[in-house]
Amino acid sequence: MNLKKENKKHSVWLSDSAWTEVESRYRRDNCSTRNEFIEKAIRFYSGYLDAESADAYLPCVLSDVLEGKLGALGKRMGHLLFKLSVDQNLMGNILAADIEIDPDQLRKARVRCVKEVKETNGEISFEDTVRYQKGAE
């Protein structure tokens, strides 16, 4: 902060206790002068007051920031889901080319799989599937 170029002299009356606080803290805040400390304190308190009256402004700014972050997350999740769908489709095609299953068996397997996913909230391990297929469950 350049005090000599921008600042003008103003008379301000302070209590002795306020001046003692300035004296004891301005160096701790890395201020070179008491005036610098007082100006920083005024700007800080002014910002605090502005924030109190910014009820309409802050939610809009926060909303914009969150929208941007969530939009980026949504785009990334969409990209990852697309890649996962492509890999799953590839595995399904490879499997379908090698095994024989009639449409009724496939329909029953789909119904069972939908039920399992709903019941476990999608937390099905490959080991559980193998056990089911081997008749262990």
Side-chain angles (χ1 to χ4, degrees):
M1 184 176 296
N2 190 345
L3 295 176
K4 294 192 181 2
K5 287 184 184 176
E6 303 171 14
N7 294 347
K8 295 181 181 176
K9 185 174 181 175
H10 300 278
S11 294
V12 178
W13 293 86
L14 297 174
S15 67
D16 286 340
S17 62
W19 188 250
T20 301
E21 288 185 44
V22 171
E23 285 284 335
S24 67
R25 291 185 172 89
Y26 83 96
R27 286 190 183 101
R28 259 197 311 186
D29 192 40
N30 294 321
C31 293
S32 58
T33 65
R34 292 167 197 83
N35 288 337
E36 182 183 357
F37 179 82
I38 292 168
E39 186 166 341
K40 283 175 74 174
I42 290 169
R43 292 193 189 286
F44 176 81
Y45 188 67
S46 294
Y48 167 78
L49 291 176
D50 289 346
E52 276 189 339
S53 65
D55 292 344
Y57 171 74
L58 289 177
C60 291
V61 170
L62 184 58
S63 172
D64 290 346
V65 169
L66 287 176
E67 243 177 62
K69 297 290 184 188
L70 291 175
L73 176 64
K75 189 174 182 179
R76 177 78 175 134
M77 292 297 290
H79 177 72
L80 292 173
L81 285 171
F82 178 80
K83 285 179 64 178
L84 183 63
S85 295
V86 169
D87 286 344
Q88 187 170 354
N89 189 23
L90 177 63
M91 285 192 315
N93 276 285
I94 291 170
L95 244 149
D98 196 39
I99 63 167
E100 292 183 25
I101 187 168
D102 67 57
D104 190 48
Q105 285 178 308
L106 182 61
R107 186 187 56 73
K108 287 178 183 176
R110 176 173 295 283
V111 168
R112 182 182 44 78
C113 289
V114 168
K115 182 182 172 205
E116 285 178 358
V117 169
K118 283 181 179 178
E119 288 174 356
T120 63
N121 200 24
E123 294 186 30
I124 299 171
S125 71
F126 185 70
E127 289 82 7
D128 291 340
T129 305
V130 170
R131 279 194 293 277
Y132 176 80
Q133 292 299 326
K134 300 289 183 189
E137 289 185 325

